[in-house]
Amino acid sequence: MKRLFALLAAFATVLGLMGAFGPQAVAANGCKVEYTVASQWQGGFQAGVKVTNLGAPVSGWTLRFTMPDAGQRVAQGWNATWSQSGSAVSAVAVDWNRTLATGAAADLGFSGTLTGANPKPTAFTLNGVACTGSVDEPTPDPDPVAGTPVEVNGQLHVCGVNLCNQYNRPVQLRGMSTHGIQWFDQCYGAASLDALANDWKSDLLRISMYVQEDGYETDPAGFTNRVNALVDMAEARGMYALIDFHTLTPGDPNYNLARAKTFFAAVAARNAGKKNVIYEITNEPNGVSWSAVKSYAEQVIPVVRAADPDGVVVVGTRGWSSLGVSDGSDENEVVNNPVNATNLMYAFHFYAASHKDSYRSTLSRAASRLPLFVTEFGTVSATGGGAMDVASTTAWLNLLDQLKISYANWTYSDAPESSAAFRPGTCGGGDYSSSGVLTESGALLKARISTPDSFPTS
């Protein structure tokens, strides 16, 4: 895991490039590169490189540039295959960004080492064509609209492959997931949710209600009431509430079909008048076919719709919500056999230290064909432990931002595991935001989530 980088963002010169594509390496009309030093520390730095294609579509590309100081070295990069020989650096497109349509952009980045100064790279080329464009500054993001996420966006719905707001504009929600409320209920009181809404500036609280493992099946009425109370607490603070029917063991959601119908009939009827509720009807199907998951969804969704016809529903996918990748499949099984329902999204989960390029490639392909919601992800390994992989986490979050895919991080808890946002014992106190209580994962997520949303309203 790494410390929270201080954001020293210093926008570098934006250079125009001439590109090339295809087997003849014909130059594109032009493109733009924005080089940004995101953070710097003793002996190292992190940089972003955004390439925007301004000309004809480009398929397959290599970006090259020169490090002006011999002490500057690429240590680890993301969203491209990086290499360095002497002062010459190359970044080669990967599967999910090899094609850049006119106006499309690829966000690359790397962490580097340095022994002296940190001057900007020079001599950018794209597919061997020298940089010859004009110099521009990046366009600043618009000022955020005043109001809480729910006040600004209102009732959400699915439009095309996007989650859209009341203005029919695509939005991205960024937030945190609880741990199992049967184990860490003390982490979800007024003080912690105040911090999540006001200090973290979270858009979303995912309420993780396990069904087995001392969860819902032991006290259906009690757990239903607790979920509803957390929905109310999120609503009072202007956050969306994602109700997670956390099926994990056994992995076949049909094992809990009757319980799911009972639970969702109750919570949908009770919360139908609210604008902040999203229903996640199964968490991580595993050891089961997509057709079995689809059958479950097509029986539970009508129960939700009977009470709440407007609420967005999210259904988990095969292979622990990996769109089947963890079972050796891919997104085509869902694309070719979608759930027969509307206002529906599909869950995708990843753990950054375990799930990398092949998973990102799948997500990128699927995002143009399916409405996706990353209802759970971690910065560490799939076990929930181990060191935080900052490079892979950053690559994932940049990709989700680029595609406007909403996400909830696992977990807003003080569980004794490196995926938790808080150090053990935090939930016994009243501080949920200072550096003293945050783990390295929590510090990184708080820094990302607390940046302005800039939700579109027109």
Side-chain angles (χ1 to χ4, degrees), residues 178-188 412-416 427:
T178 73
H179 208 302
I181 56 176
Q182 77 274 39
W183 300 314
F184 294 94
D185 194 52
Q186 72 277 11
C187 292
Y188 313 115
Y412 195 69
S413 78
D414 62 357
C427 293

Side-chain angles (χ1 to χ4, degrees), residues 304-347:
V304 176
R305 292 282 179 258
D308 187 352
D310 300 321
V312 173
V313 173
V314 185
V315 60
T317 56
R318 185 161 71 99
W320 293 273
S321 285
S322 69
L323 288 170
V325 181
S326 292
D327 282 350
S329 186
D330 59 30
E331 75 282 3
N332 286 312
E333 67 180 22
V334 180
V335 172
N336 295 331
N337 189 24
V339 173
N340 184 21
T342 58
N343 216 18
L344 174 76
M345 307 190 82
Y346 297 93

Side-chain angles (χ1 to χ4, degrees), residues 337-426:
N337 189 24
V339 173
N340 184 21
T342 58
N343 216 18
L344 174 76
M345 307 190 82
Y346 297 93
F348 188 87
H349 292 181
F350 67 85
Y351 280 76
S354 299
H355 307 132
K356 299 188 179 183
D357 285 354
S358 65
Y359 287 78
R360 284 191 283 266
S361 181
T362 298
L363 180 81
S364 296
R365 291 193 311 267
S368 65
R369 307 170 76 186
L370 296 170
L372 300 176
F373 199 128
V374 174
T375 57
E376 180 181 319
F377 81 93
T379 63
V380 296
S381 75
T383 65
M388 183 174 70
D389 190 328
V390 66
S392 182
T393 298
T394 302
W396 271 114
L397 293 176
N398 288 345
L399 180 61
L400 298 181
D401 290 351
Q402 178 185 339
L403 297 172
K404 279 192 175 295
I405 294 177
S406 300
Y407 62 76
N409 173 252
W410 185 269
T411 60
Y412 195 69
S413 78
D414 62 357
E417 54 193 26
S418 52
S419 59
F422 304 123
R423 299 181 188 279
T426 297

Side-chain angles (χ1 to χ4, degrees), residues 234-288:
E235 180 186 39
R237 292 159 178 80
M239 294 186 291
Y240 288 93
L242 177 63
I243 299 176
D244 163 32
F245 195 68
H246 201 86
T247 51
L248 183 63
T249 305
D252 184 352
N254 291 287
Y255 179 85
N256 287 302
L257 179 60
R259 295 183 183 94
K261 289 181 175 181
T262 298
F263 174 74
F264 283 106
V267 295
R270 193 264 188 183
N271 297 302
K274 298 180 183 295
K275 297 179 180 180
N276 73 316
V277 178
I278 303 170
Y279 305 94
E280 184 179 3
I281 62 173
T282 182
N283 169 56
E284 290 188 347
N286 59 89
V288 66

Side-chain angles (χ1 to χ4, degrees), residues 15-176:
L15 304 175
L17 300 180
M18 295 297 288
F21 66 97
Q24 301 299 318
V26 178
N29 295 336
C31 66
K32 179 176 69 175
V33 166
E34 300 166 24
Y35 179 83
T36 306
V37 177
S39 55
Q40 185 169 327
W41 59 95
Q42 183 66 38
F45 67 103
Q46 180 174 311
V49 185
K50 181 177 181 180
V51 184
T52 303
N53 180 27
L54 303 178
V58 175
S59 181
W61 50 265
T62 300
L63 179 70
R64 292 188 171 90
F65 57 86
T66 301
M67 290 290 201
D69 189 303
Q72 292 172 296
R73 304 288 304 179
V74 173
Q76 190 173 29
W78 47 91
N79 290 357
T81 300
W82 292 83
S83 61
Q84 182 171 352
S85 177
S87 60
V89 177
S90 297
V92 180
V94 288
D95 285 348
W96 65 86
N97 63 13
R98 62 176 285 105
T99 299
L100 292 178
T102 302
D107 284 296
L108 321 178
F110 65 93
S111 57
T113 59
L114 71 162
T115 57
N118 192 19
K120 296 183 292 290
T122 60
F124 283 92
T125 64
L126 189 68
N127 286 1
V129 178
C131 307
T132 58
S134 60
V135 177
D136 296 309
E137 290 296 327
T139 302
D141 291 332
D143 292 334
V145 176
T148 68
V150 176
E151 287 172 341
V152 174
N153 294 298
Q155 177 67 54
L156 301 174
H157 64 283
V158 178
C159 57
V161 295
N162 299 114
L163 181 65
C164 293
N165 64 10
Q166 63 182 328
Y167 303 101
N168 211 37
R169 296 292 304 278
V171 294
Q172 179 195 36
L173 304 181
R174 301 174 298 169
M176 298 294 293

